[in-house]
């Protein structure tokens, strides 16, 4: 049955590639302003991204190492919009992550115990073109929307950014926190966003320590300095508890903080971005003797930069090519003396019809890491 299900999904994906247009999403139900029926104000869309990925690692002496195929983040999303008035709508989004190698039972592409399905997003709320958007559920937090997303533009990124260096971006608010309220609105050149995080269930940080989010807040702003230049700033705080699972009375409360900024410049075919992040009790300690009292590294900072230029061809099966270079650096204080640095050299090829290919080389100068090459195929619809 598993193999039959896998064949059906693969077959459906191939048919989608052959038949779908290059639109980002497929509308399965559109609003009908001429009808008086109950469903007339409703629109439904489906979209997604299928991502097989291959990683080629180098050994410590820089010779060619082995390669592994795996799922690079396949996801399917469903969104709805129900118009209450000309200005106001009820909105909702559900995005499901699917490990395609697990689904197809390709043993070399996943480890036993990994998730076959993962809820990436599930939120609902109201959208008003005058008063903004208010949503609740599992969704991107303020940090990712305002700063993290600006540099989330290459394959092996997030190694110095808040969505990737915390204990878990879905728990500490750096990526897609569950049980979160979010508000967003635009005032002229300013886009303002805020979130409020409710308590979350315990998360197993390791075999003996458990992390629990108690609450959190965040606020951020995008300022369009010019049509091509944007400054972004964000501050978030998450209150959390780390306890010893063997002795529940051994616990410590943390006041996790992130302060971050980004500058994004898009002149012509260029995309240039630089981000800077300051962390306080946010990044887990890299030491071996970790307990609830020293679980986080204290203070630290992370910086990222990206520069890419897109050459556009607009041929039927070759839209563009973007060579790029990126770099990041993560440094931790508080007795950690930890430093990790990477340089990335890559090329993104867009073949139209939602099909693209990223080829990327990571040059690593970080404890326990080697250079690697990543090839990721995308089919976006």
């Amino acid at each position: 049955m598993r193999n039959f299900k896998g064949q059906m999904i693969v077959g459906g994906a191939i048919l989608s590639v052959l038949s779908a247009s290059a639109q980002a999403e497929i509308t399965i139900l559109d609003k009908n302003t001429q009808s008086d029926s109950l469903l007339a104000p409703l629109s439904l869309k489906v979209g997604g991204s299928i991502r097989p990925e291959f990683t080629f690692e180098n050994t410590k002496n820089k010779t060619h190492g082995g390669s592994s195929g795996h799922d690079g983040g396949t996801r399917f999303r469903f969104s709805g919009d129900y118009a209450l008035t000309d200005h106001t709508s009820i909105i909702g989004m559900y995005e499901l992550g699917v490990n395609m190698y697990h689904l197809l039972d390709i043993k070399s592409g996943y480890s036993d115990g990994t998730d076959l399905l993962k809820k990436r997003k599930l939120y609902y709320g109201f959208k008003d073109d005058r008063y903004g958007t208010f949503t609740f559920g599992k969704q991107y937090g303020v940090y990712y929307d305002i700063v993290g997303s600006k540099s989330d533009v290459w394959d092996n990124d997030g190694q110095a950014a808040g969505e990737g260096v915390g204990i878990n971006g879905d728990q500490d608010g750096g990526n897609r926190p569950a049980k979160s309220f979010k508000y967003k609105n635009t005032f002229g050149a300013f886009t303002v966003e805020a979130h409020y995080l409710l308590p979350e269930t315990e998360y197993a940080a390791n075999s003996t320590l458990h992390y629990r989010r108690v609450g959190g807040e965040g606020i951020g702003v995008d300022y369009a300095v010019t049509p091509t230049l944007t400054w972004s700033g964000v501050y978030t705080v998450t209150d959390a508890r780390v306890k010893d699972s063997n002795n529940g009375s051994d616990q410590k409360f943390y006041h996790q903080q992130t302060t971050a900024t980004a500058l994004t410049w898009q002149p012509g075919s260029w995309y240039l971005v630089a981000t800077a992040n300051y962390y306080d009790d946010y990044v887990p300690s890299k030491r071996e003797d970790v307990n609830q009292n020293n679980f986080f590294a204290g203070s630290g900072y992370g910086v990222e930069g990206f520069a890419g230029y897109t050459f556009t061809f607009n041929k039927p099966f070759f839209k563009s090519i973007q060579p790029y270079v990126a770099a990041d650096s993560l440094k931790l204080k508080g007795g950690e003396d930890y430093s990790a640095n990477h340089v990335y050299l890559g090329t993104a090829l867009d073949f139209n019809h939602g099909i693209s290919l990223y080829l990327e080389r990571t040059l690593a100068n970080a404890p326990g890491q080697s250079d690697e090459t990543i090839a990721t195929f995308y089919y976006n619809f």
Side-chain angles (χ1 to χ4, degrees), residues 187-198:
F187 307 92
F190 292 90
T191 297
V192 179
E193 186 169 311
H195 76 213
Y196 180 80
L197 308 181
L198 297 177

Side-chain angles (χ1 to χ4, degrees), residues 49-56 72 151-157 271 306 308 310 320-326 344-351 354-361 373-380:
S49 182
I50 300 172
R51 304 182 179 185
E53 184 173 86
F54 300 87
T55 301
F56 304 86
S151 59
D152 186 9
V153 289
W154 73 91
D155 252 345
N156 199 18
D157 59 2
Y271 184 84
F306 175 94
T310 301
S320 65
I321 182 172
Q322 183 197 55
Y324 61 85
V325 59
Y344 310 87
L345 305 173
T347 302
L349 301 101
D350 189 334
F351 299 105
I355 303 172
S356 59
L357 168 66
Y358 277 65
L359 299 172
E360 183 176 291
R361 177 70 169 170
T373 301
I374 299 176
T376 307
F377 295 89
Y378 291 75
Y379 172 55
N380 299 318

Side-chain angles (χ1 to χ4, degrees), residues 118-122 136-139 167-181 196-204 210-217 238-243 251 253 256:
K118 180 180 181 180
K119 181 174 68 177
R120 290 175 52 87
K121 298 179 188 176
L122 178 58
F136 172 76
K138 186 173 176 21
Q139 58 191 317
I167 179 173
N168 182 311
D170 293 358
Q171 295 284 334
D172 57 30
N175 199 1
R176 297 182 303 272
K179 301 179 182 177
S180 66
F181 291 97
Y196 180 80
L197 308 181
L198 297 177
E200 181 60 294
T201 56
E202 285 189 356
Y203 171 78
H210 282 198
Y211 170 96
R212 183 174 186 266
R213 184 180 79 209
V214 179
E217 303 85 30
T238 301
D239 293 318
R241 181 195 70 194
V242 177
K243 73 173 185 178
Q251 57 184 329
F253 287 86
Q256 300 182 267

Side-chain angles (χ1 to χ4, degrees), residues 229-247:
L229 180 65
T230 301
W231 171 83
S232 308
V234 67
Y235 172 75
T236 71
V237 58
T238 301
D239 293 318
R241 181 195 70 194
V242 177
K243 73 173 185 178
D244 188 333
S245 58
N246 295 325
N247 186 349

Side-chain angles (χ1 to χ4, degrees), residues 50 91 101 110 160 190 197 214 224 249 252 275 277 320 339 350:
I50 300 172
I91 60 173
Y101 279 75
Y110 73 97
F190 292 90
L197 308 181
V214 179
S249 62
K252 182 176 180 179
T275 70
N277 308 265
S320 65
S339 177
D350 189 334

Side-chain angles (χ1 to χ4, degrees), residues 30-323:
D30 208 355
K31 290 182 173 66
N32 184 356
T33 58
Q34 307 302 317
S35 173
D36 293 328
S37 71
L38 186 63
L39 294 179
L42 177 65
S43 67
L44 296 174
K45 294 183 179 181
V46 61
S49 182
I50 300 172
R51 304 182 179 185
E53 184 173 86
F54 300 87
T55 301
F56 304 86
E57 294 185 351
N58 281 16
T59 59
K60 291 183 179 180
N61 61 3
K62 307 300 181 183
T63 60
H64 183 270
S67 64
S68 63
H70 55 272
D71 192 282
T74 295
R75 74 286 307 264
F76 301 93
R77 62 181 176 272
F78 310 88
S79 60
D81 183 307
Y82 190 91
L84 299 177
T85 70
D86 291 341
H87 298 285
T88 308
S89 297
I90 299 174
I91 60 173
M93 158 79 77
Y94 176 54
E95 185 174 79
L96 179 68
V98 181
N99 188 324
M100 297 298 288
Y101 279 75
H102 195 169
L103 179 68
L104 300 174
D105 202 23
I106 303 175
K107 298 293 188 181
S108 62
Y110 73 97
S111 302
D112 290 338
T114 56
D115 293 332
L116 168 62
L117 305 174
K118 180 180 181 180
K119 181 174 68 177
R120 290 175 52 87
K121 298 179 188 176
L122 178 58
Y123 64 85
Y124 49 88
F126 294 91
K127 177 181 69 175
D128 188 284
D129 57 18
R130 301 158 299 177
Y131 306 120
T133 302
F134 181 80
T135 50
F136 172 76
K138 186 173 176 21
Q139 58 191 317
Y140 283 127
V142 168
Y143 172 84
Y144 184 82
D145 276 347
I146 298 296
V147 170
S149 61
K150 304 297 193 301
S151 59
D152 186 9
V153 289
W154 73 91
D155 252 345
N156 199 18
D157 59 2
Q159 300 198 60
E163 72 268 23
V165 300
I167 179 173
N168 182 311
D170 293 358
Q171 295 284 334
D172 57 30
N175 199 1
R176 297 182 303 272
K179 301 179 182 177
S180 66
F181 291 97
K182 187 169 71 172
Y183 174 76
K184 180 179 181 179
N185 203 359
T186 299
F187 307 92
F190 292 90
T191 297
V192 179
E193 186 169 311
H195 76 213
Y196 180 80
L197 308 181
L198 297 177
E200 181 60 294
T201 56
E202 285 189 356
Y203 171 78
N206 57 36
S207 59
T208 60
L209 297 176
H210 282 198
Y211 170 96
R212 183 174 186 266
R213 184 180 79 209
V214 179
E217 303 85 30
I219 188 167
V221 59
D222 273 335
Y223 172 49
V225 182
T226 72
T228 61
L229 180 65
T230 301
W231 171 83
S232 308
V234 67
Y235 172 75
T236 71
V237 58
T238 301
D239 293 318
R241 181 195 70 194
V242 177
K243 73 173 185 178
D244 188 333
S245 58
N246 295 325
N247 186 349
S249 62
D250 290 339
Q251 57 184 329
K252 182 176 180 179
F253 287 86
Y254 289 91
H255 197 60
Q256 300 182 267
Q257 300 177 72
T258 59
T259 305
T261 187
L263 197 62
T264 310
W265 190 29
Q266 301 179 70
S269 297
W270 284 97
Y271 184 84
L272 307 167
V273 63
T275 70
N277 308 265
Y278 175 77
Y279 306 115
D280 187 16
D281 282 338
Y282 186 82
V283 184
S285 173
K286 306 299 182 180
R287 293 176 294 192
E288 294 184 359
D289 58 335
V290 173
N291 57 51
Q292 68 277 4
N293 295 313
N294 62 5
F295 183 79
F296 290 105
S299 63
Y301 68 86
V303 294
E304 294 187 331
F306 175 94
Y309 186 88
T310 301
F311 297 91
T312 302
F313 300 93
N314 280 328
K315 302 297 183 182
F317 292 97
F318 190 51
K319 180 179 180 181
S320 65
I321 182 172
Q322 183 197 55

